[in-house]
Amino acid sequence: MLYNEYVILEHDFTLTVPQIRASIERISAVLGTTYFSGDEIIRYAELMQVYSGAMREVSTKLENLDEEFHVRNFHNPIHHMECRLKSIESTIDKLKRKHLPINCDSIEYELTDIAGIRVICNYIDDVYNVAQTLAAQSDITVLRTKDYIAKPKPNGYRSLHLIVQVPVFLSTGPRLTAVEVQLRTIAMDYWASLEHRLRYKNDIDESRKLAHAQELLDCAHDLADIEQRMQHIHQDLG
Ligand code: GTP
Ligand code: MG
């Protein structure tokens, strides 16, 4: 596996063309089809470098905002951040799911979640403050917003998702690049990790899975309530 896990920010995503070629050859052999051959591999490596740069641009903006909040308000809105580049396997899967040709044009022009940043905040107000101040920056364009906090998913999932576009300055000039930013509180992250485990657990029977899903939905409601109460105490303390 090349990428795909959300990891702490210091991680170095730079991969060379031979590393990417080896990985693509391995995946193509497993899937029985040749994906990204010849020049496409070089373009893929270049694309990943641009996405990695976009991730760095956005995460630096978020770090600067966090520091500014801290200096002004003695409070850090961001607890920590994680980022990931979508793996080749997941990218191929997604292109197949969307019935798109499996090539670099599809990745560049049709997918907006190759680069992902997860911003774990302390309180719900922090989530919205960070999102608003990031979105207001002059070189950031918000392409899409999904507010699963205002309107949680039926399974109880809550988070604020933004697709933002940021210029990455290459030797050839600026390249506008999409980054998926998932903002959530510590409680929402805690919940999402467990739900994610349940979702990909296939060695338990359906009735146990259903019972856990119902229990998780109850937990989501309880966590939302506790979060509200803690937010009030936090606000009251000033
Ligand atoms: P994807 O094809 O999954 O990317 O869906 P989408 O393009 O409609 O994006 P959406 O904004 O709904 O979700 C993007 C990402 O948020 C997912 O890839 C997950 O990382 C996360 N996510 C969304 N829904 C859930 C959920 O129900 N549970 C968990 N644990 N994570 C979720
Ligand atoms: Mg996705």
Side-chain angles (χ1 to χ4, degrees):
M1 180 76 72
L2 271 175
Y3 316 115
N4 219 41
E5 290 296 305
Y6 276 85
V7 292
I8 52 159
L9 218 53
E10 287 76 27
H11 195 81
D12 183 6
F13 288 100
T14 314
L15 284 170
T16 61
V17 171
Q19 282 171 317
I20 289 186
R21 178 173 290 121
S23 181
I24 289 177
E25 280 169 3
R26 186 177 47 76
I27 295 161
S28 297
V30 170
L31 298 177
T33 315
T34 303
Y35 294 110
F36 304 106
S37 51
D39 287 351
E40 279 279 289
I41 291 185
I42 295 168
R43 187 165 162 219
Y44 183 90
E46 286 170 356
L47 262 180
M48 291 306 113
Q49 181 268 316
V50 176
Y51 283 113
S52 168
M55 219 155 59
R56 241 184 333 257
E57 291 284 347
V58 176
S59 58
T60 301
K61 285 172 176 299
L62 290 163
E63 276 170 348
N64 289 343
L65 285 172
D66 185 56
E67 222 169 274
E68 187 196 342
F69 273 113
H70 181 65
V71 169
R72 285 179 189 271
N73 308 318
F74 309 101
H75 168 67
N76 283 97
I78 299 177
H79 182 267
H80 73 281
M81 285 192 268
E82 296 167 3
C83 48
R84 73 107 179 75
L85 280 184
K86 204 178 196 66
S87 68
I88 301 173
E89 287 98 325
S90 303
T91 303
I92 293 173
D93 276 355
K94 188 152 193 175
L95 292 175
K96 282 184 179 167
R97 232 179 20 245
K98 295 184 129 202
H99 306 290
L100 289 164
I102 302 188
N103 59 36
C104 290
D105 271 349
S106 297
I107 296 177
E108 188 173 351
Y109 303 116
E110 305 289 345
L111 300 188
T112 52
D113 65 345
I114 297 292
I117 301 183
R118 202 166 268 168
V119 188
I120 293 99
C121 294
N122 287 302
Y123 297 95
I124 295 181
D125 284 4
D126 295 329
V127 165
Y128 288 106
N129 274 334
V130 170
Q132 268 158 22
T133 44
L134 176 70
Q137 297 195 358
S138 57
D139 53 352
I140 287 277
T141 306
V142 178
L143 299 178
R144 200 179 74 190
T145 303
K146 283 191 192 172
D147 190 346
Y148 294 125
I149 299 177
K151 197 171 182 308
K153 287 181 59 170
N155 63 358
Y157 178 77
R158 293 182 306 142
S159 282
L160 176 63
H161 294 181
L162 307 179
I163 305 290
V164 301
Q165 199 180 45
V166 66
V168 177
F169 290 87
L170 302 176
S171 61
T172 46
R175 179 95 77 89
L176 293 175
T177 309
V179 178
E180 179 180 273
V181 186
Q182 302 177 352
L183 300 112
R184 49 171 78 150
T185 60
I186 299 168
M188 294 173 198
D189 190 51
Y190 167 59
W191 183 94
S193 316
L194 188 56
E195 193 274 343
H196 187 262
R197 268 182 62 201
L198 175 70
R199 187 192 294 236
Y200 292 100
K201 185 106 183 129
N202 292 320
D203 54 353
I204 61 170
D205 60 69
E206 226 21 62
S207 64
R208 245 173 92 208
K209 223 173 168 168
L210 267 173
H212 284 321
Q214 182 55 53
E215 184 72 14
L216 270 171
L217 183 56
D218 294 344
C219 290
H221 294 141
D222 291 348
L223 285 171
D225 177 49
I226 289 174
E227 235 172 17
Q228 279 299 336
R229 287 155 58 196
M230 289 182 59
Q231 168 96 55
H232 285 144
I233 300 173
H234 169 68
Q235 268 164 352
D236 192 54
L237 295 178

